[in-house]
């Protein structure tokens, strides 16, 4: 009986389609061959900094890919070596373990700034994940759940939150028009978890007299998590749906405060006709200040000073690779807030900025590692003497906020009181009106 059960299990395993990665080669093959294994990228990778695992660095991942497609190094071939499971140090690496390594990355693109042979990493990692999924290698289970929740008509968001909750924070207080020139695309993180930021953005937009509206419960997740996790097959539907909703409202501009949505919308152009201009909220607010259509009157609370600005990867560096990084608009807004005379800068800022830890869908795979990255960023802010960390991304705000809470717990017995604040540029702008 036992033997029969074992045989059945073996049959089940054998029925799983085995991806032929040697035949189905990944995209950007030339990049894999171009890598010199020089290791410059290791020095900037936040994953390597926290784990110390060579196999999780960009060059380690490239090495792994060479192995997966049967292009082991000359010496490996001669010595008959195979990449081993790094946890046990034994046996040949499983495809699931390979997936884990490839997804242990915040997609921050910092490696691209330093790569000796200019590998286009900001696009590369996403495409490698897509290739893995297309070849039957499943992404982290949480991202599969998110994919399903987004596709579900009852949610349309990755958090399994009920659809009517999407606009419940503001629908009674803001009577927004059916059609408008600007669509404020809120995004799931802001709609469901950072609703104070949502209310603050609505306050600033309304005070500026902008002709805007939202998609309300017709808004669907932008699909960023689909692209980050390699699950692209539903992305076209998402793009067409959201673009259709925007067209119905006659908008010529789409404004979002979420850098993840901002990038997803840029990708929509490959799948749908987008007859609108795409902007980040900070660009709109900076323009209003410049045109003297928005003026801040209230002083920023002195006890929250000084502030340090954290560049969200997707808004700054990653968008810069795609043509236009947004670095100065958030700083320009902050400089126009009464009471803020000085903005502290992290030693690594703008193109060299370090990820907050919350990017790339890594939270779905290894939350503790993301928090380690965040805590290091917070330590840098403490060292600078900052009392508030400011960003322009709801995901950075949530991630750094979680890190601050953890830091508070760590310091509970300390005589020193830890009072770091975490705010979005729009939170500060709303408080200064
Ligand atoms: S994108 Fe960022 S986290 Fe990922 S390998 Fe490059 S530097 Fe490391
Ligand atoms: S810097 Fe570029 S070429 Fe050098 S090891 Fe890293 S990925 Fe390879």
């Amino acid at each position: 009986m036992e033997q029969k059960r074992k045989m059945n299990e073996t049959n089940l395993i054998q029925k799983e389609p085995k991806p032929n990665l040697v035949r189905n080669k990944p995209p950007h093959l030339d990049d894999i061959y171009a890598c010199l294994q020089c290791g410059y990228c290791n020095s900037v990778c936040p994953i390597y900094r926290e784990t110390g695992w060579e196999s999780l660095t960009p060059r380690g991942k490239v090495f792994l890919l060479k192995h997966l497609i049967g292009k082991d190094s000359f010496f490996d071939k001669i010595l008959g070596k195979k990449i081993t499971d790094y946890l046990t140090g034994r046996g040949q690496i499983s495809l699931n373990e390979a997936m884990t390594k490839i997804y242990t990355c915040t997609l921050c693109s910092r490696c691209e700034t330093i790569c000796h042979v200019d590998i286009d990493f900001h696009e590369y990692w996403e495409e490698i994940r897509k290739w893995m999924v297309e070849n039957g290698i499943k992404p982290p289970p949480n991202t599969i759940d998110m994919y399903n929740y987004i596709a579900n008509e009852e949610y349309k968001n990755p958090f399994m939150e009920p659809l009517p909750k999407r606009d419940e924070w503001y629908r009674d207080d803001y009577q927004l028009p059916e059609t408008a020139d600007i669509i404020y695309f809120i995004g799931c993180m802001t709609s469901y978890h950072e609703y104070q930021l949502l209310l603050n953005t609505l306050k600033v937009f309304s005070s500026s007299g902008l002709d805007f509206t939202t998609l309300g419960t017709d808004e669907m997740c932008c699909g960023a998590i689909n692209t980050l996790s390699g699950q692209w097959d539903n992305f076209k539907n998402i793009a067409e749906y959201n673009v259709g909703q925007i067209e119905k409202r006659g908008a010529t501009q789409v404004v979002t405060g979420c850098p993840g949505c901002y990038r997803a919308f840029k990708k929509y152009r490959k799948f749908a006709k987008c007859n609108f201009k795409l902007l980040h909220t900070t660009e709109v607010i900076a323009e209003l200040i410049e045109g003297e259509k928005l003026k801040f009157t209230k002083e920023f609370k002195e006890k929250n000073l000084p502030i340090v600005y954290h560049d969200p990867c997707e808004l700054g560096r990653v968008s810069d690779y795609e043509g236009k990084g947004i670095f100065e608009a958030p700083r320009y807004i902050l400089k126009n807030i009464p009471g803020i005379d000085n903005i502290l800068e992290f030693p690594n800022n703008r193109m060299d900025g370090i990820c907050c830890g919350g990017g790339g869908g890594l939270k779905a795979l290894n939350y503790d590692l993301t928090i380690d990255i965040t805590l290091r960023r917070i330590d840098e802010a403490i060292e600078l003497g900052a009392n508030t960390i400011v960003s322009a991304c709801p995901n950075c705000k949530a991630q750094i906020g979680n890190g601050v809470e953890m830091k508070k717990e760590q310091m509970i017995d300390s005589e020193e009181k830890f009072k770091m604040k975490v705010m979005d540029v729009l939170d500060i702008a709303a408080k200064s009106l």
Side-chain angles (χ1 to χ4, degrees):
M1 184 71 178
E2 179 65 11
Q3 201 182 0
K4 200 175 170 195
R5 194 172 58 80
K6 274 196 177 144
M7 271 175 67
N8 281 342
E9 276 174 11
T10 315
N11 286 342
L12 276 177
I13 292 165
Q14 281 170 350
K15 271 179 199 161
E16 283 276 322
K18 250 191 147 192
N20 189 341
L21 302 181
V22 176
R23 197 181 61 220
N24 303 329
K25 296 259 187 315
H28 302 284
L29 208 53
D30 47 341
D31 283 335
I32 293 181
Y33 295 138
C35 173
L36 298 170
Q37 295 285 305
C38 64
Y40 289 178
C41 49
N42 296 7
S43 64
V44 296
C45 176
I47 303 294
Y48 182 59
R49 205 178 41 181
E50 299 311 323
T51 63
W53 281 106
E54 168 69 40
S55 59
L56 296 176
T57 63
R59 92 164 159 186
K61 290 177 181 123
V62 171
F63 184 71
L64 165 68
L65 285 165
K66 275 187 189 162
H67 165 80
L68 290 179
I69 62 169
K71 293 286 171 194
D72 306 335
S73 78
F74 175 71
F75 292 109
D76 281 348
K77 277 201 177 115
I78 287 188
L79 299 171
K81 294 266 182 194
K82 291 281 173 203
I83 290 186
T84 52
D85 184 316
Y86 80 99
L87 288 177
T88 62
R90 288 191 301 274
Q92 192 174 347
I93 191 168
S94 68
L95 287 177
N96 193 44
E97 183 58 35
M99 179 281 286
T100 305
K101 281 172 193 264
I102 295 291
Y103 281 76
T104 305
C105 165
T106 65
L107 297 183
C108 72
S109 282
R110 183 68 173 90
C111 41
E112 185 167 342
T113 59
I114 201 161
C115 178
H116 200 53
V117 293
D118 296 329
I119 296 179
D120 196 357
F121 277 122
H122 81 280
E123 198 181 310
Y124 184 74
W125 295 132
E126 275 187 7
E127 295 209 1
I128 291 295
R129 291 176 182 198
K130 184 172 177 242
W131 167 76
M132 291 183 94
V133 170
E134 281 168 355
N135 280 282
I137 305 170
K138 289 195 174 84
N142 286 350
T143 66
I144 299 175
D145 291 343
M146 288 179 182
Y147 169 95
N148 288 327
Y149 300 146
I150 294 167
N152 187 322
E153 287 291 315
E154 283 179 39
Y155 310 125
K156 291 187 187 168
N157 67 78
F159 309 126
M160 211 180 134
E161 294 280 0
L163 187 59
K165 214 175 141 189
R166 200 178 259 281
D167 67 350
E168 79 172 11
W169 310 109
Y170 66 93
R171 80 168 87 92
D172 293 336
D173 295 334
Y174 288 88
Q175 308 301 323
L176 296 173
E178 279 293 309
T179 59
D181 190 40
I182 298 173
I183 292 294
Y184 168 35
F185 190 89
I186 302 168
C188 299
M189 192 65 186
T190 312
S191 295
Y192 293 110
H193 295 304
E194 292 295 333
Y195 55 87
Q196 195 52 54
L197 172 57
L198 157 62
L199 296 178
N200 285 336
T201 306
L202 290 172
K203 184 179 169 190
V204 178
F205 280 12
S206 302
S207 312
S208 316
L210 287 181
D211 175 24
F212 81 98
T213 191
T214 67
L215 298 183
T217 52
D218 287 335
E219 184 178 305
M220 186 182 195
C221 173
C222 67
I225 192 72
N226 296 56
T227 68
L228 300 180
S229 59
Q231 304 174 100
W232 281 77
D233 58 339
N234 200 24
F235 190 69
K236 186 173 186 287
N237 295 340
I238 295 172
E240 284 174 348
Y241 172 84
N242 277 328
V243 170
Q245 292 299 329
I246 289 158
E247 267 176 8
K248 256 202 235 169
R249 288 157 178 86
T252 63
Q253 296 180 57
V254 172
V255 179
T256 181
C258 176
C261 297
Y262 182 77
R263 275 198 74 219
F265 264 81
K266 281 191 187 168
K267 291 179 181 131
Y268 282 7
R269 295 197 181 120
K270 282 190 196 156
F271 302 95
K273 206 166 177 215
C274 301
N275 293 320
F276 50 78
K277 193 175 168 187
L278 177 66
L279 294 160
H280 186 256
T281 45
T282 55
E283 293 181 286
V284 175
I285 305 302
E287 217 172 276
L288 288 167
I289 297 170
E290 218 163 30
E292 297 186 2
K293 290 186 183 135
L294 181 67
K295 205 167 166 48
F296 303 112
T297 48
K298 284 196 199 137
E299 287 235 343
F300 186 63
K301 281 191 186 152
E302 207 187 330
K303 66 174 179 146
N304 294 336
L305 290 169
I307 62 168
V308 61
Y309 180 70
H310 165 85
D311 287 284
C313 305
E314 289 200 304
L315 189 64
R317 178 174 46 246
V318 180
S319 287
D320 202 71
Y321 286 131
E322 290 162 346
K324 189 186 68 166
I326 301 173
F327 300 109
E328 301 313 321
R331 290 174 169 86
Y332 177 75
I333 297 167
L334 294 170
K335 278 179 197 154
N336 276 278
I337 307 271
I340 299 181
D341 302 322
N342 179 31
I343 304 167
L344 298 177
E345 293 286 359
F346 283 106
N348 295 292
N349 59 67
R350 295 179 173 83
M351 280 300 276
D352 295 339
I354 293 177
C355 181
C356 70
L362 181 59
K363 277 193 280 189
L365 183 76
N366 189 340
Y367 181 70
D368 290 348
L369 176 55
T370 71
I371 285 292
D372 288 344
I373 297 170
T374 314
L375 290 174
R376 197 177 287 262
R377 200 62 167 158
I378 293 168
D379 284 341
E380 282 183 356
I382 297 170
E383 217 164 286
L384 287 169
N387 276 328
T388 305
I389 302 172
V390 186
S391 195
C393 167
N395 286 302
C396 292
K397 187 183 170 190
Q399 180 72 17
I400 301 171
N402 290 342
V404 163
E405 287 310 311
M406 193 152 288
K407 191 89 192 164
K408 278 183 188 159
E409 275 173 37
Q410 286 175 356
M411 291 177 75
I412 208 148
D413 296 326
S414 152
E415 283 179 19
E416 201 185 326
K417 258 206 148 173
F418 180 62
K419 289 187 283 192
M420 186 70 77
K421 292 250 173 334
V422 185
M423 298 178 87
D424 190 279
V425 175
L426 267 291
D427 294 329
I428 298 183
K431 281 189 190 310
S432 308
L433 286 171

